[in-house]
Amino acid sequence: MSSQFPIQKLNEVETPFYYYNMQLLDDTLSVIQTEANKYNYHIHYAVKANANKRILERVNSFGFGADCVSGNEVTASLAAGFTNDKVVFAGVGKADKEIITGLENDIACFNVESIPELEVINEIAERMGKTANIALRINPNVKANTHKYITTGLEENKFGIYIWDIEKVLDKIEELNNVNFVGIHFHIGSQINDLDSFKQLCTRVNELQQDIFIKRRAIPKIVNVGGGLGIDYDNPDDNPMPDFEKFFAIFDEFLELQEGQEVHFELGRSVVCQCGTLMSKVLYVKEGVSTHFAIIDAGMSDLIRPALYQAYHKIENLTSTLEEDKYDVVGPICESSDCFGKAVTLPKTGRGDLMAIRSAGAYGEVMANQYNLRELPQAIYSDLI
Ligand SMILES: *Cc1c(COP(=O)(O)O)cnc(C)c1O
C-alpha cells in the first residue's frame, strides 16, 4: 500500500477524480532541469500528455517550453503563461485555422510533416505578411536497424518526411518565400525504456546531418530529438521518475552537433505520468463463476488507456488491509473492454473502498470523454487539498 496518499482527505472527495501529487511533479521537473542544463538542452513539454492548466503553469515555471499538436494546445499553452518564443506546433494534420493561430501568435516553430503542409503554411503566412519558422519532422526509421536508410520491412506510417524525400523538401523550401528552415525534428515513439533506441536515433541523426544537411550547407539551428522516454508502470513507488541523467547523457555522448546547434527535447509522459492517480470507489463486488468482479465508479471514459492499448496500470486498494484475493477490476460502462485489470491481487475488497489506479498522469485526464453521458472526472491537487 502506498503511504504517499492523504487517504482520509481523499476519501471525502466525490469519486472518480484525478489526484495530482504536485510535489512529485516539482521534483521531476527539477531533476529534468538540472540534468538538461548540464548540456544546455532545451525542453519543450508535450502538452498532449496532460493539458491541465495547473500542470502547464507548473511546467512553465521551470522555464520549459510547450510542444503542441493542435491550435487549442497552442492557445492553452499561451494562456498558461508560456511565451510564444517557447511554443512549437507539431502534428501531421494542421488545419488552416490552427496554422493561423500559430502565425498570429508568432510561435517559435512549426514542425512540418509533408510538402503539401509546407505549401499551405507558406501560403497562409504570405497572406498574413509573416514568415513561419519551420522544422522538418523526419521519419528516421530507426527500429529497422539494417542498412543505412534502405530498410526491408519498412513500415509506412503517416508521421514525418521519409529520408529519401528530404532533398525534395529542401528544394521546395528554397522556392518558398514565407518559410524559414530552422530545424530538424525526430520522434521515434513512446514509452521507450530501452535507451539503446535513443543511441540509434543519435547515429541516424549524425548520418543525416553529414549526408544531407552539411553537404547542402543547409545546417539546421535546431536538432529536436522528440520525446518518448518511458516510465515504470509496474513500480511507481520504487521508480517515481525515469533516469533522466542517463537519458540526457546518451545524447551528449552520441549526438554529433555542428557549431551553434541547439538540442531540443519534447518530453511528455516522463514528466507527468507518475504524479497522477485516478481515484475511484468500489460500487459493488460481484461474484462470477470463478471470478470476483470489483466494479468501480471510474470507467474507460475517465482513463481509456487500458481499453485503447491494453495498457497496464497498477491498481491498489487504499483502504483495506484484509487478506488478499484476486479481482477483475472493471468500470461501469457498457463495453467489455471497460476493464482496468484482470486477476489483480488486492486485499479483500468491498463496497466503498478507495482504489488508486496509478501512473495515470499522462494520457489520462486529457483523454477523458463523456461516453454514456458520464461526467468528466475532476482534478484534485496535493497542494490544494
Ligand atoms: C506524443 C509526442 C511527444 C511526447 O511523447 P512522450 O512519449 O509522451 O514523451 C513528443 N513529440 C511528438 C511529436 C509527439 O507526437
Side-chain angles (χ1 to χ4, degrees), residues 165-201:
D165 285 334
I166 294 173
E167 297 271 6
K168 209 163 55 186
V169 177
L170 290 172
D171 291 342
K172 177 54 80 177
I173 290 171
E174 283 173 12
E175 283 170 29
L176 302 175
N177 293 321
N178 294 72
V179 290
N180 179 28
F181 172 64
V182 297
I184 49 177
H185 170 221
F186 306 85
H187 175 68
I188 56 172
S190 205
Q191 184 53 19
I192 297 166
N193 284 313
D194 172 15
L195 293 181
D196 230 40
S197 303
F198 294 111
K199 228 187 262 184
Q200 288 175 41
L201 171 63

Side-chain angles (χ1 to χ4, degrees), residues 107 117 165 169 178 215 236 258 313:
I107 59 166
E117 182 195 338
D165 285 334
V169 177
N178 294 72
K215 215 171 257 172
Q258 307 307 305
H313 287 265

Side-chain angles (χ1 to χ4, degrees), residues 280-299:
S280 175
K281 279 191 177 156
V282 177
L283 293 170
Y284 310 102
V285 173
K286 177 171 157 177
E287 301 301 336
V289 179
S290 59
T291 308
H292 311 297
F293 291 99
I295 302 167
I296 63 175
D297 62 7

